[in-house]
Amino acid sequence: MIPYGRQDITAQDIDAVTAVLQSDFLTQGPVVPKFERSVAARVEANHALAVNSATSALHIACLALGLGPGDWLWTTPITFVASANCGLYCGAQIDFVDIDPKTYNLCSKTLAQKLEQAEREGRLPKVVVAVHLCGQPCDMVAISELAQKYGFKVIEDASHAIGGAYEGTPIGSCRYSDITVFSFHPVKIITSAEGGVAVTNDADLATKMELFRSHGITRDPDLMTKEPDGPWYYQQIELGFNYRMTELQAALGLSQMDRLDTYVERRHALAKRYDELLADLPVTTPWQAPNQYSGLHLYVIRLKLNAIGSSHREVFENLRERGVGVNLHYIPVYHQPYYAGETYGNGPFPESERYYSEAISLPMYPLMTAEQQDYVVSCLFKAVAS
Ligand SMILES: *Cc1c(COP(=O)(O)O)cnc(C)c1O
């Protein structure tokens, strides 16, 4: 089976992880801060906090922004459940904003309309999570203008988007948001096995996230309520978690950072080749916003079902049967049984529904060969012809 995504592990990666195994620190050593500095420098943010997953990063981001019971978090339905679950962890309620039919990201015009209505009804969101689906940046200028106008905070879920750029600045520079989150799960652009990083330019938010990452404990006398009892002393001043990243994960992530730009370039080359090879098929290839640089984590096509004899499901099954590991990113979050009920989802979400009935993610990863790509394309030709 040709997978939809796959990590690339080199001898350099293995050496970096082995060196940590032979060192004094498996956790809480020097490599995590080094990885954090590397990510912060690359994305042009002032502070980076490494944690054990992007899910954890989203959680501490919401906590640092003060999200709690009685608050609303808004996000797109077309995302991984973690983009919404982080709000539920904080006791907040979730609502969704329908997607833009061209970019498949949260639509900033729909957001503006929904905010107007929410203001009248007194239920404005405290946090909006903007997900850069497939690596394509959201309309951050419009979203940040709305954030100013209505007073909500913005988290960029850039799990798909490290290495990309928006309006000439790297995704993660937080020019139009409070906090940006990256994932380093093996299917993502670079990996630390499991892992995530939250970046921000706000020193206060960085301090809060650092506390929430590790039990709410501080050793900084400036943050304590009284003078230390002695050199052993620490204080717990928040209810935090153990969300720490290990040194092994950081070593792998740091080593992979060296190849970030090469990986994204390779994804662009593969996407361009797909665009050309699929031009005559009854499918919509991904639209790329001019002047933006996508991380291109995913290559999502949409089937023009009125020009195809088979159903969405039949095309999908046909591809899997031929050994093409297609996927569907994502099932609208409000379809999940956990999200059923009155409190979640003030739909309808027609664009998300239409997307879900047509979308297929084709395999794409740095080590994918032209032969593998040709095979995927030939199978797709057969699948849509049958
Ligand atoms: C992968 C992903 C996450 C969660 O990342 P983990 O590191 O696996 O916790 C969150 N949001 C989006 C959009 C993702 O794709």
Side-chain angles (χ1 to χ4, degrees), residues 26-333:
L26 299 185
T27 187
Q28 294 176 287
V31 187
V32 166
K34 223 172 144 185
F35 179 44
E36 290 172 338
R37 286 193 293 274
S38 168
V39 173
R42 174 62 183 79
V43 307
E44 297 176 17
N46 291 342
H47 308 275
L49 278 297
V51 286
N52 57 5
S53 70
T55 304
S56 303
L58 287 164
H59 186 193
I60 62 171
C62 288
L63 288 171
L65 292 170
L67 189 73
D71 294 329
W72 286 92
L73 177 146
W74 290 7
T75 189
T76 167
I78 303 298
T79 186
F80 185 56
V81 290
S83 314
N85 285 347
C86 56
L88 295 184
Y89 296 157
C90 299
Q93 287 176 287
I94 312 300
D95 201 351
F96 299 98
V97 181
D98 206 3
I99 60 169
D100 179 296
K102 215 159 158 181
T103 65
Y104 317 148
N105 281 328
L106 175 152
C107 174
S108 55
K109 290 193 187 76
T110 308
L111 175 64
Q113 288 160 7
K114 196 166 173 120
L115 284 163
E116 236 175 73
Q117 191 189 342
E119 189 178 42
R120 287 196 298 273
E121 295 167 3
R123 48 173 211 92
L124 283 168
K126 179 148 187 174
V127 170
V128 170
V129 178
V131 182
H132 304 312
L133 192 75
C134 308
Q136 165 121 266
C138 293
D139 186 0
M140 293 310 299
V141 168
I143 292 169
S144 76
E145 279 169 11
L146 291 167
Q148 300 278 323
K149 183 172 171 191
Y150 292 98
F152 59 84
K153 304 292 182 187
V154 180
I155 299 173
E156 291 174 72
D157 181 345
S159 294
H160 299 182
I162 195 165
Y166 175 73
E167 297 292 318
T169 48
I171 301 281
S173 68
C174 296
R175 208 163 119 192
Y176 303 100
S177 67
D178 297 281
I179 296 169
T180 301
V181 165
F182 300 109
S183 172
F184 303 113
H185 182 279
V187 297
K188 307 292 164 76
I189 294 172
I190 60 165
T191 188
S192 61
E194 292 278 3
V197 164
V199 294
T200 182
N201 294 324
D202 183 319
D204 187 45
L205 289 176
T207 303
K208 285 183 177 149
M209 289 196 285
E210 196 175 357
L211 281 169
F212 287 120
R213 168 174 69 179
S214 195
H215 308 284
I217 284 174
T218 183
R219 291 176 187 278
D220 178 355
D222 291 343
L223 297 178
M224 292 181 187
T225 55
K226 67 176 183 90
E227 286 297 303
D229 293 347
W232 62 84
Y233 196 66
Y234 57 81
Q235 272 192 351
Q236 186 196 340
I237 58 172
E238 282 285 1
L239 183 60
F241 303 84
N242 180 352
Y243 281 169
R244 292 187 304 261
M245 175 181 275
T246 67
E247 292 283 285
L248 300 165
Q249 293 168 312
L252 179 54
L254 182 63
S255 177
Q256 294 245 323
M257 280 296 285
D258 286 345
R259 300 194 300 284
L260 171 59
D261 292 330
T262 326
Y263 284 165
V264 177
E265 282 160 24
R266 178 73 191 135
R267 287 176 176 280
H268 275 263
L270 287 164
K272 186 162 174 276
R273 202 158 174 271
Y274 265 140
D275 288 346
E276 288 159 8
L277 294 171
L278 303 180
D280 296 331
L281 276 186
V283 303
T284 306
T285 54
W287 182 80
Q288 299 297 336
N291 309 320
Q292 317 298 7
Y293 189 63
S294 173
L296 267 174
H297 165 54
L298 296 173
Y299 190 89
V300 172
I301 57 163
R302 287 177 65 165
L303 303 181
K304 293 177 179 166
L305 286 166
N306 51 12
I308 299 173
S310 323
S311 70
H312 180 231
R313 183 174 173 160
E314 283 164 349
V315 172
F316 192 99
E317 283 173 343
N318 192 312
L319 288 164
R320 283 265 178 103
E321 277 159 21
R322 294 173 193 273
V324 177
V326 286
N327 222 309
L328 207 174
H329 299 93
Y330 291 93
I331 306 159
V333 177

